Amino acid sequence: MKKYFSKFYISFIFLMLSFTVFGQVEKHPRIYTNNESKEAFIKTLESVSWKKSLVEKKKKNLEKYLKYVEKDPNWLVSRLQMNWNTKHKKVFLKGGDFAYSKDAAPVATVRFAGSRDWATDYKRPKIENIEPYSDDKRGLFWEHKKTSKKEWIHPSKAGTGIEKLNEQIMSLVEDAAFLYWLTDDEKYAKFAAPVYSKYINGMYYREAPVDLEKSNQQYISGLATFEVIHEGIVVSLVTTYDFLYDYFKTNKTNLDTSVAVFQKWGDQIIKNGIPDNNWNLFQARFLTYIGLVLENNATYKNGKGSEYYLEHTFDTSTDRQLSIKESLLVYDHKNGIWPESPSYSVHVITTLLRIFTLLDHATNKDEFLNYPIVEKAALASFQYLFPNGYTIGFGDANHKILPPENFELLISNYQKYDKTTKETLISDILSKMISDDLYTRKADDFFQLFFYADILKSNKKQNLSSIKNLTSQTFYASNVSMFNQRMGDKENAVMVSTVGSFGNHAHANGLSIELFANNYALGPDMGKGSSYWHSDFKEFYSKFPAHNTVVVDGKSDYGAMRSYNPFRLDNAYPNSGEKPAFDKVTFSKVSFFEPATVSDQQRFTAIVKSNSAKSYIIDVFRSKKQQEGTQKHEYIYHNLGQSLDIYDDKEHPLKLSVTDDLSAEKGDLKGYDYFTDKLKTQSSKDITALFTLKSENKPDNLMKLWVKGAENQTIYSVKSPKSNAISKGTAPKEVLKKQLPTLILKREYASWKNPFALVFNPFIKGEENPIKNVSYASIEKYPNSQIINVLLNNNLTKDRIVLNASENDVTVEKSFYQKGLVSITRQLDEELDFLFLSGMYKYENFGWNIISSGNPFTFSIEKIKRGFRFQTDEPITINMPVLKSEKSATLKLYENGKIVASRKGTTNRNNANQLIFKIAKGYDKAEIIFDKK
């Protein structure tokens, strides 16, 4: 890396030298573009409509402000959030809130932000409504959101409003600076320069804030905001400086103040931050802008020029700001996943792509080649997606599309360096997003305006890439404790995402799931609260009651945000990233230690394809405290909809009564107090629960839960707060901001030997429902066994699932024997249709006897014409039943689609009605074909 940077600095210095000719002024702009490219850029505005649209939009938006400034040159200047009268240079904080400022500077100084917490009861005024030169000892005179009345408030009550107003004003200045460069019309420069200079001079005299509480806030504050990662105004300031550089020089403007402010800002970013998460990268983007706009080190007495800040961006780490080189080591370089919740993970990718695009524009050295993990991460992010193209929502995330910018910037790089194959692949991905109405090509800022490719070069001879082609049936990312399962396509697509709590922006959710079916995230996560400092986040959204999980004793809890409570992936099928030959089943079994109650938990979740294109989901949740004694376990499931109806085993409605259970007053977590409309009943028998989701002009979207009965099981129907994870892509408009119906099952004893067992049965009213009936059974002698019988809708197909707690458990019933984790047997009109075994040592049933050669195996076999097709991942012995009319059969073994061996089966000496086949290793495909008579 050091060698690379030596080369980089050499090339960069030569680049700087190219801007200087025998002592002439350094050339600007250079961050996004340069004067040599201006003519070509203007031509693209004539042919590329989305580029022209942004430029025209910015021109039009500035018109009214230009008129204001024509009448009053100080109109926009006066609306900056400054210490106009007090001219305070020292800022003091009280933790995450502004406390006060003091000590006068020679000029008006920039006002610091009001609070780290963005949640506020007050509206940020429009620029037009800002009181000119406002600086009142009473604070801010802002309108209350609920009462619509103006009140005097302390700045700490304004959330992030102060900084946002300055950012909004400076974005107008940035636009005007660009338009000056584009048109050479001085009206834009005269509009921008006074505002820019006033702000820069005000920040020159302003000092970094001091936290009176001496908390961690002292080490994360920026110059304008409470967090160095939110210093977005830096980009506008640097861009304005870049585009107005020639104007400033022509008018003999002293730029030393600007340089000093940029250096001070860069030093604050290097000094402060959180060095072990995404902050490094968000800070690095600001450092990149500062490094690229400054001249080389030798230009300044303090030696802090371009090389200095770029070195701290890419190669040199400090205590609170790690270099990009070191930060990228956090990635899982095998699966390409960043260890944070999806919304943050994909934002990290965007940030990295922006940084390397800026750097590459300066060096023209194809900087992406030095960091291949960035490209890998961009493609791996498809594994976060529900089947409809929206991301899952665990932790502090919400359901949204992947940032199209990620793919735009890859395409731009591929075009620049003639990587035609890759360009076509990613262009097809982006074109598919466009054709699915998930994205419309446009530019929202100058970065996109200058760095997006003008056109997409799609390969018209090939089908557009789809999400299905970019995801696998299962995907495991241990560094975020996530296991995703997928089944089916289009309207039949089903997905379950199981998560623990590992990495940053995680929640205290135990073993939680999100469930997608019927085109929506029917069983969603709840997302994050109003803000990270708001009570609804601390008490509910980040805690167990907001998730589809099991709570022990009403107290299950641990630290959210930065969490180290992952699950252990015990068993799964298929293996992550693999495309299996047998594709009718996926499952995962995960184990978890719940620290607050010292409990063991285990969750088995499977998707089973029915006898049609539809699928159903099995969920078996075991939970027990490690110590004996009284205990309580509550299974919680939230589903989209307007209603939840509960029925007995005869499909008769159960009568529910109002209850004051589930509350902090009764000893439960505070999050239980967020449940409303609480109703309950009690039953020991199997029940069904029906969630109904009604949408305008659509048939009812139904989720039916077949719930196993248990002694003295209490069933609750409650309403949960709205989900902040769902979006218009994963839920209909009717429920986007509505409470969610929620089912809670309570056991006042351990639920391990008799686990929570449910079958999720999604279907559309009036359309095919794949399930006719579900029943549950257990065997007293083998308490770790759970038996689920599913009768499919044709009344002829039966699925029998036998699930044990571990691979070492045994289930015996008449002629049935199972030593192993799970078996799924499908019979069609009493004949075997398929058999799936996993975590298995020995299985006997219906005349079949399949035995491990030592290790637990995964095996599937399904009926084909004249025989069976099977796969196994371990050596096994197959004893299979034969009829008198079919006494012989031939085994065919395949590798890479070709037969590599074949042999006839031998008769079992202990059972003349069985043939024996010994399989010496794992095979993805093998067949047993009955010989012709």
Side-chain angles (χ1 to χ4, degrees):
M1 191 70 180
K2 291 287 187 183
K3 182 178 180 182
Y4 160 69
F5 264 92
S6 297
K7 291 181 178 178
F8 164 72
Y9 285 131
I10 291 171
S11 66
F12 191 81
I13 289 170
F14 275 113
L15 182 69
M16 293 294 109
L17 289 174
S18 70
F19 293 153
T20 309
V21 182
F22 300 111
Q24 292 180 7
V25 176
E26 296 85 355
K27 290 188 176 180
H28 286 267
R30 60 180 179 230
I31 295 175
Y32 296 135
T33 186
N34 54 54
N35 289 325
E36 289 74 17
S37 303
K38 184 175 178 178
E39 185 177 346
F41 174 75
I42 292 174
K43 286 184 178 180
T44 66
L45 296 182
E46 299 171 2
S47 58
V48 183
S49 60
W50 59 266
K51 282 191 170 185
K52 182 179 180 180
S53 176
L54 180 68
V55 173
E56 292 302 319
K57 179 180 177 182
K58 289 187 175 296
K59 280 184 178 179
K60 185 175 181 180
N61 185 52
L62 274 178
E63 285 177 2
K64 66 176 180 179
Y65 298 107
L66 285 166
K67 291 178 181 177
Y68 290 143
V69 172
E70 284 176 10
K71 294 180 180 178
D72 177 5
N74 292 318
W75 188 91
L76 191 58
V77 170
S78 68
R79 278 150 176 80
L80 283 170
Q81 299 301 289
M82 307 277 283
N83 298 308
W84 290 109
N85 303 323
T86 58
K87 301 179 182 178
H88 286 160
K89 64 181 181 180
K90 294 183 182 296
V91 173
F92 295 91
L93 313 177
K94 194 172 183 180
D97 290 325
F98 173 83
Y100 61 89
S101 55
K102 69 176 187 178
D103 289 359
V107 300
T109 56
V110 177
R111 182 175 286 168
F112 193 77
S115 177
R116 188 181 181 193
D117 185 354
W118 56 78
T120 175
D121 294 328
Y122 297 89
K123 293 181 181 179
R124 185 171 78 241
K126 294 180 179 180
I127 294 177
E128 295 90 324
N129 297 331
I130 297 174
E131 187 72 23
Y133 301 110
S134 177
D135 182 14
D136 196 292
K137 63 182 180 181
R138 290 172 292 181
L140 305 170
F141 196 53
W142 282 17
E143 181 181 327
H144 196 283
K145 291 178 179 177
K146 291 184 179 179
T147 66
S148 297
K149 293 182 179 180
K150 284 191 171 184
E151 302 174 13
W152 285 104
I153 60 170
H154 188 267
S156 62
K157 301 295 184 183
T160 59
I162 292 170
E163 68 198 70
K164 295 301 180 185
L165 282 173
N166 279 340
E167 288 177 10
Q168 190 177 352
I169 291 170
M170 207 53 62
S171 70
L172 296 174
V173 170
E174 179 186 17
D175 291 350
F178 159 74
L179 290 171
Y180 166 72
W181 171 81
L182 182 69
T183 65
D184 293 320
D185 189 336
E186 283 202 358
K187 72 177 181 182
Y188 293 114
K190 290 179 179 179
F191 173 91
V195 187
Y196 169 85
S197 296
K198 182 63 72 174
Y199 187 96
I200 285 290
N201 289 333
M203 188 57 81
Y204 178 81
Y205 286 99
R206 252 277 324 281
E207 297 179 10
V210 174
D211 179 22
L212 297 170
E213 295 184 342
K214 298 181 180 179
S215 69
N216 188 57
Q217 183 62 53
Q218 185 64 59
Y219 306 104
I220 64 174
S221 298
L223 292 183
T225 72
F226 278 83
E227 299 179 3
V228 284
I229 59 170
H230 289 155
E231 302 277 71
I233 200 167
V234 168
V235 176
S236 293
L237 291 168
V238 167
T239 304
T240 300
Y241 176 93
D242 201 35
F243 281 125
L244 288 185
Y245 190 89
D246 289 346
Y247 177 82
F248 287 143
K249 284 295 185 180
T250 300
N251 288 274
K252 295 182 171 48
T253 304
N254 185 349
L255 296 179
D256 291 346
T257 303
S258 292
V259 169
V261 169
F262 294 153
Q263 290 175 339
K264 181 164 67 169
W265 228 311
D267 291 346
Q268 183 77 359
I269 290 170
I270 291 170
K271 176 185 174 183
N272 277 3
I274 298 176
D276 50 2
N277 65 7
N278 56 40
W279 282 47
N280 298 306
L281 304 175
F282 300 154
Q283 291 170 241
R285 186 165 71 94
F286 300 140
L287 286 178
T288 303
Y289 274 95
I290 291 170
L292 291 177
V293 82
L294 292 176
E295 315 309 325
N296 57 47
N297 289 349
T299 307
Y300 312 115
K301 289 182 180 180
N302 62 8
K304 293 183 177 181
S306 59
E307 300 98 321
Y308 178 84
Y309 291 107
L310 291 173
E311 180 183 357
H312 279 83
T313 302
F314 293 96
D315 200 46
T316 299
S317 295
T318 59
D319 289 345
R320 304 193 72 86
Q321 168 64 25
L322 301 187
S323 68
I324 285 180
K325 180 183 77 171
E326 189 169 351
S327 296
L328 292 184
L329 298 177
V330 174
Y331 266 107
D332 185 317
H333 285 250
K334 290 184 178 179
N335 63 33
I337 296 297
W338 178 262
E340 296 192 278
S341 63
S343 295
Y344 285 85
S345 177
V346 298
H347 184 29
V348 163
I349 297 167
T350 308
T351 301
L352 286 167
L353 288 167
R354 282 199 167 212
I355 289 170
F356 293 126
T357 299
L358 286 168
L359 179 63
D360 190 75
H361 177 67
T363 67
N364 294 307
K365 298 293 184 182
D366 198 359
E367 302 296 343
F368 283 32
L369 293 178
N370 296 296
Y371 303 93
I373 185 60
V374 179
E375 180 185 32
K376 183 170 186 174
L379 296 178
S381 63
F382 280 90
Q383 298 286 6
Y384 287 128
L385 296 182
F386 287 124
N388 67 343
Y390 286 76
T391 57
I392 56 179
F394 69 82
D396 295 332
N398 52 15
H399 303 158
K400 57 186 181 183
I401 65 170
L402 295 175
E405 179 168 327
N406 294 359
F407 309 109
E408 291 276 12
L409 295 182
L410 287 176
I411 292 166
S412 181
N413 174 267
Y414 298 154
Q415 277 196 14
K416 183 175 180 179
Y417 295 106
D418 297 321
K419 302 174 186 177
T420 306
T421 302
K422 286 186 175 183
E423 180 190 349
T424 301
L425 170 66
I426 306 302
S427 293
D428 281 351
I429 291 172
L430 200 60
S431 296
K432 185 65 168 63
M433 295 176 76
I434 294 170
S435 67
D436 288 344
D437 294 325
L438 297 177
Y439 173 55
T440 301
R441 288 202 88 202
K442 63 177 182 175
D444 292 321
D445 58 26
F446 293 122
F447 183 97
Q448 297 171 351
L449 179 69
F450 285 103
F451 292 132
Y452 280 11
D454 290 349
I455 58 172
L456 299 180
K457 297 178 182 178
S458 183
N459 186 349
K460 302 300 183 182
K461 295 181 180 179
Q462 297 180 357
N463 293 326
L464 296 178
S465 298
S466 69
I467 291 172
K468 191 173 182 181
N469 297 330
L470 296 161
T471 57
S472 51
Q473 196 164 16
T474 64
F475 182 78
Y476 176 48
S478 60
N479 61 338
V480 287
S481 194
M482 173 188 77
F483 189 88
N484 292 340
Q485 304 175 54
R486 298 177 173 85
M487 184 77 71
D489 197 11
K490 297 180 180 178
E491 67 273 6
N492 298 315
V494 171
M495 178 175 168
V496 177
S497 179
T498 303
V499 296
S501 306
F502 203 58
N504 198 26
H505 288 283
H507 287 177
N509 52 239
L511 293 175
S512 181
I513 63 169
E514 275 193 296
L515 191 155
F516 180 96
N518 294 350
N519 298 310
Y520 290 126
L522 288 183
D525 199 275
M526 302 297 279
K528 60 185 178 182
S530 303
S531 77
Y532 298 136
W533 303 273
H534 198 281
S535 58
D536 66 357
F537 176 79
K538 295 178 180 179
E539 296 170 351
F540 180 73
Y541 283 99
S542 68
K543 300 300 182 180
F544 272 68
H547 300 85
N548 299 321
T549 189
V550 166
V551 180
V552 183
D553 287 348
K555 299 181 183 302
S556 293
D557 195 18
Y558 48 83
M561 188 61 74
R562 190 68 60 88
S563 184
Y564 301 99
N565 293 277
F567 60 63
R568 182 184 71 224
L569 181 62
D570 300 324
N571 304 81
Y573 176 85
N575 292 328
S576 177
E578 291 185 359
K579 185 176 181 179
F582 181 75
D583 60 359
K584 294 181 175 64
V585 172
T586 68
F587 84 87
S588 68
K589 181 177 85 73
V590 297
S591 299
F592 181 77
F593 172 74
E594 198 288 288
T597 60
V598 191
S599 298
D600 293 322
Q601 295 189 322
Q602 180 193 104
R603 191 165 205 164
F604 174 93
T605 309
I607 305 176
V608 182
K609 186 175 181 292
S610 74
N611 56 334
S612 67
K614 302 290 184 181
S615 300
Y616 62 88
I617 301 96
I618 299 167
D619 190 36
V620 178
F621 203 124
R622 301 177 193 266
S623 184
K624 66 178 179 180
K625 294 176 70 173
Q626 290 186 3
Q627 293 183 342
E628 296 292 333
T630 59
Q631 52 188 296
K632 178 178 69 170
H633 301 264
E634 287 160 331
Y635 179 103
I636 301 175
Y637 175 70
H638 313 79
N639 198 95
L640 299 182
Q642 292 88 359
S643 64
L644 166 59
D645 298 298
I646 299 173
Y647 304 88
D648 64 16
D649 58 342
K650 305 297 184 184
E651 293 291 324
H652 298 140
L654 281 172
K655 185 177 181 181
L656 280 70
S657 57
V658 175
T659 179
D660 60 356
D661 290 355
L662 310 172
S663 68
E665 188 176 324
K666 294 291 184 73
D668 296 321
L669 292 162
K670 182 67 176 174
Y672 279 66
D673 290 343
Y674 288 76
F675 294 139
T676 62
D677 303 311
K678 296 181 290 186
L679 302 172
K680 79 171 184 180
T681 188
Q682 200 170 58
S683 175
S684 298
K685 296 182 179 180
D686 295 351
I687 63 162
T688 57
L690 184 67
F691 292 92
T692 302
L693 172 61
K694 292 182 177 294
S695 301
E696 187 178 0
N697 300 321
K698 290 184 179 180
D700 290 353
N701 196 323
L702 305 174
M703 173 63 84
K704 186 173 186 178
L705 273 60
W706 303 80
V707 181
K708 178 189 177 184
E711 184 179 359
N712 298 321
Q713 181 165 258
T714 305
I715 302 105
Y716 296 93
S717 169
V718 304
K719 290 289 182 68
S720 292
K722 65 176 182 177
S723 168
N724 291 324
I726 60 177
S727 68
K728 64 179 182 180
T730 57
K733 63 182 180 180
E734 287 85 355
V735 296
L736 282 180
K737 296 183 179 180
K738 304 294 185 181
Q739 289 182 301
L740 290 187
T742 302
L743 175 71
I744 301 177
L745 308 172
K746 182 174 77 174
R747 311 263 185 88
E748 298 196 48
Y749 48 86
S751 57
W752 191 271
K753 294 179 180 179
N754 184 22
F756 294 105
L758 298 91
V759 172
F760 289 85
N761 175 196
F763 63 100
I764 302 296
K765 186 175 182 179
E767 298 180 12
E768 178 193 356
N769 177 1
I771 295 179
K772 185 74 173 180
N773 189 52
V774 176
S775 63
Y776 298 90
S778 57
I779 304 171
E780 185 176 353
K781 189 176 179 180
Y782 302 98
N784 281 338
S785 302
Q786 175 61 58
I787 301 172
I788 305 172
N789 297 296
V790 180
L791 176 63
L792 299 183
N793 62 2
N794 62 0
N795 269 332
L796 299 174
T797 306
K798 301 175 184 177
D799 291 351
R800 187 173 192 259
I801 299 95
V802 180
L803 175 66
N804 287 326
S806 76
E807 295 174 341
N808 292 317
D809 287 321
V810 172
T811 302
V812 181
E813 184 184 38
K814 297 179 181 178
S815 61
F816 179 89
Y817 178 92
Q818 174 176 315
K819 180 178 175 59
L821 180 65
V822 62
S823 65
I824 301 178
T825 308
R826 174 167 294 172
Q827 288 180 277
L828 175 57
D829 201 15
E830 305 304 323
E831 289 189 5
L832 182 69
D833 187 44
F834 76 71
L835 171 64
F836 173 81
L837 312 173
S838 193
M840 194 65 59
Y841 284 99
K842 185 178 180 181
Y843 175 88
E844 292 183 34
N845 196 23
F846 301 121
W848 291 83
N849 185 339
I850 304 162
I851 307 169
S852 164
S853 292
N855 295 323
F857 61 86
T858 294
F859 169 87
S860 64
I861 189 165
E862 52 188 325
K863 190 174 179 59
I864 60 174
K865 187 176 181 180
R866 296 291 304 161
F868 295 92
R869 178 185 300 115
F870 72 88
Q871 63 173 354
T872 179
D873 66 346
E874 293 283 345
I876 56 172
T877 298
I878 301 174
N879 296 278
M880 66 171 290
V882 291
L883 302 173
K884 290 182 179 179
S885 58
E886 297 175 329
K887 274 293 185 181
S888 63
T890 299
L891 171 69
K892 296 181 180 180
L893 301 173
Y894 293 79
E895 289 182 354
N896 299 319
K898 296 180 180 180
I899 296 177
V900 294
S902 66
R903 61 179 181 271
K904 291 186 178 297
T906 58
T907 303
N908 187 338
R909 65 185 180 85
N910 297 314
N911 185 343
N913 294 320
Q914 282 185 332
L915 292 177
I916 299 177
F917 298 95
K918 290 190 178 293
I919 313 300
K921 65 175 186 177
Y923 286 93
D924 288 335
K925 180 182 177 182
E927 294 176 341
I928 299 174
I929 305 298
F930 291 113
D931 298 333
K932 293 182 179 180
K933 297 179 182 179

